[in-house]
Amino acid sequence: MRQLLILLQKEFIQIRRNPFLPKLMIIFPIMIMLVMPLVTTMDVRNVKVVVVDEDKSSLSRRIVGDISASDYFVLVGERHSYEEAILMIETCETDIVLTIPENFERDLQSVMPRKIDISANSVNATKGSMGSQYLMQIVALCITKQMEESGVEAASDLVVVQNRYNETMEYRNLMIPAIMIMLIILICGFLSAINIVVEKENGTIEQINVTPVSKLTFTLSKLIPYWIIGIFVITIAMIVAWLVYDMTPRGSLGNIYLASILFVLGFSGFGVAVANKSDNIQQTMFVMFFFVVIFMLLSGLLTPISSMPMWAQYFTMILPPRYYIDIMRAVYLKGATFIDLWYNFAALGFFAVIFNLIAAMTYKKQR
């Protein structure tokens, strides 16, 4: 224990004397939490729309007015023919062409009314599909209001949509817990690995090798500071999410900290294991970057796991971030309890034990 305390004292002195690391631990999470939720979004806005109004009725003018007033669309203008408007899609002057057919308002109550046509540029599939859905909602709402004001009973909705847990459908609410996880991966994984490789390159690790310090004691002395840093970083991230975005977890803070501790334990151990097998910083950075890309792309951080091919869904079961992401989003957005998420906690605990054992075993102490 005395050896461990002395080594920990050495590690914290090195961190404090480092001119860059203390600033990184504070400024990096704050800047990431301030910027990324604003720019990393799947919300579709400023979709350019051209209208071909062949009806020239009060209803068609009302539809055009509602589109112009929407925050999601930019009304580029109106054209006289569909051919003229579709040419604007081909030249990327607009994203969507809305065609209102002739006599649309008059035939609205007929058995088979003509339909409004929406043509979208789906090169950007997200913008095309979601923009079309937004436009359909505006048109449908406008038609319903027009019919009700005319004394005609509007058809009752057969489907009622309820947006549970994220009522405002803000993509930012989904991404903020994911960004917190990215901070832990980048800081605890990379820094713990680089710390050991720097000592290798400087030759100071050779001095440790000739001392009676055990492999376990040395490994713990390298891991514990980054466990503390990880909890510090997640705390800063939650404070920024609360102060800037008014987003607080609906569930227990204890569950968030427990999951964070388990994930930090595991991922910092993973970083140390990579460093033990690396000879220089470049090698460590390339290996860590390779795994981090896999973790971010295949763990549900950016895309739903259920949308992946079946082989990829099975593969995600061996990726620790998958379970941490599930816990963070469930606690933050749904208010889930430990009992609801016990399987994810158990998986994180398992990976923490495995990665730290690998870190201890891969450290080769010279005698």
Side-chain angles (χ1 to χ4, degrees):
M1 180 59 69
R2 184 172 180 273
Q3 290 178 348
L4 177 60
L5 292 177
I6 293 173
L7 289 175
L8 285 175
Q9 183 181 10
K10 175 186 78 73
E11 294 295 328
F12 282 112
I13 290 175
Q14 286 182 334
I15 291 174
R16 188 180 72 247
R17 290 180 177 176
N18 190 304
F20 176 71
L21 190 55
K23 299 175 184 177
L24 176 70
M25 290 187 301
I26 298 175
I27 297 176
F28 184 70
I30 292 177
M31 293 304 299
I32 291 294
M33 289 299 298
L34 287 176
V35 176
M36 286 199 65
L38 299 178
V39 300
T40 308
T41 175
M42 294 293 287
D43 293 333
V44 175
R45 295 182 183 272
N46 300 319
V47 180
K48 293 180 286 186
V49 179
V50 167
V51 177
V52 179
D53 185 4
E54 299 176 351
D55 192 27
K56 305 296 182 182
S57 64
S58 60
L59 176 57
S60 65
R61 290 192 294 271
R62 183 171 186 169
I63 291 174
V64 173
D66 285 0
I67 294 172
S68 179
S70 173
D71 295 333
Y72 294 97
F73 298 101
V74 175
L75 184 63
V76 177
E78 298 185 36
R79 294 295 181 269
H80 297 292
S81 66
Y82 176 78
E83 291 75 17
E84 184 182 358
I86 204 67
L87 184 62
M88 296 181 67
I89 284 187
E90 295 177 2
T91 58
C92 297
E93 297 177 64
T94 188
D95 299 308
I96 295 178
V97 172
L98 176 72
T99 304
I100 305 176
E102 187 177 0
N103 300 323
F104 174 73
E105 182 179 10
R106 188 194 66 184
D107 298 339
L108 195 59
Q109 300 177 42
S110 63
V111 178
M112 297 183 64
R114 298 184 64 182
K115 296 182 180 180
I116 289 179
D117 178 72
I118 296 176
S119 300
N121 180 0
S122 294
V123 172
N124 185 329
T126 301
K127 190 172 186 179
S129 62
M130 295 188 69
S132 300
Q133 292 296 322
Y134 292 163
L135 193 57
M136 288 174 58
Q137 293 175 13
I138 289 179
V139 172
L141 183 61
C142 190
I143 293 173
T144 300
K145 289 182 178 179
Q146 179 84 357
M147 294 179 67
E148 290 176 350
E149 292 172 3
S150 301
V152 179
E153 184 178 356
S156 59
D157 293 330
L158 299 179
V159 179
V160 178
V161 178
Q162 295 183 357
N163 300 318
R164 303 294 299 273
Y165 312 124
N166 187 7
E167 293 82 0
T168 60
M169 292 294 289
E170 288 281 351
Y171 189 74
R172 181 180 65 196
N173 294 343
L174 183 71
M175 281 304 298
I176 285 177
I179 292 170
M180 296 179 184
I181 297 165
M182 291 170 61
L183 289 172
I184 296 294
I185 291 175
L186 294 174
I187 292 180
C188 293
F190 274 92
L191 292 185
S192 61
I194 292 174
N195 183 30
I196 290 182
V197 179
V198 167
E199 291 212 29
K200 283 185 179 181
E201 292 187 341
N202 293 337
T204 55
I205 200 169
E206 301 299 330
Q207 301 173 15
I208 300 294
N209 286 335
V210 297
T211 65
V213 176
S214 66
K215 295 169 60 174
L216 179 60
T217 301
F218 174 78
T219 303
L220 286 176
S221 70
K222 291 297 182 183
L223 290 175
I224 291 176
Y226 293 96
W227 298 346
I228 298 173
I229 290 173
I231 301 306
F232 176 73
V233 167
I234 201 70
T235 301
I236 291 180
M238 288 194 292
I239 291 174
V240 173
W242 168 49
L243 295 177
V244 178
Y245 305 108
D246 193 28
M247 186 174 178
T248 56
R250 296 186 178 181
S252 169
L253 275 174
N255 287 331
I256 290 180
Y257 276 111
L258 176 58
S260 299
I261 290 170
L262 292 174
F263 185 71
V264 168
L265 290 178
F267 208 78
S268 58
F270 176 79
V272 170
V274 170
N276 288 338
K277 290 295 184 179
S278 303
D279 297 323
N280 51 59
I281 291 181
Q282 290 82 0
Q283 185 178 350
T284 303
M285 292 293 289
F286 275 116
V287 174
M288 287 297 297
F289 183 76
F290 170 77
F291 283 104
V292 166
V293 169
I294 292 177
F295 289 156
M296 288 187 177
L297 294 180
L298 292 178
S299 61
L301 193 72
L302 303 175
T303 56
I305 292 177
S306 58
S307 300
M308 299 178 186
M310 190 57 65
W311 66 266
Q313 295 185 37
Y314 287 124
F315 182 75
T316 61
M317 298 178 68
I318 64 173
L319 303 179
R322 168 193 173 142
Y323 305 99
Y324 188 34
I325 291 168
D326 287 346
I327 292 173
M328 291 292 287
R329 284 177 173 161
V331 174
Y332 246 94
L333 300 177
K334 298 172 63 176
T337 65
F338 178 85
I339 296 177
D340 299 326
L341 302 168
W342 70 268
Y343 174 80
N344 295 282
F345 282 102
L348 286 180
F350 171 78
F351 284 114
V353 172
I354 294 298
F355 284 144
N356 282 281
L357 285 176
I358 294 174
M361 289 187 296
T362 53
Y363 168 55
K364 292 181 172 57
K365 182 177 174 61
Q366 298 177 358
R367 297 186 181 278

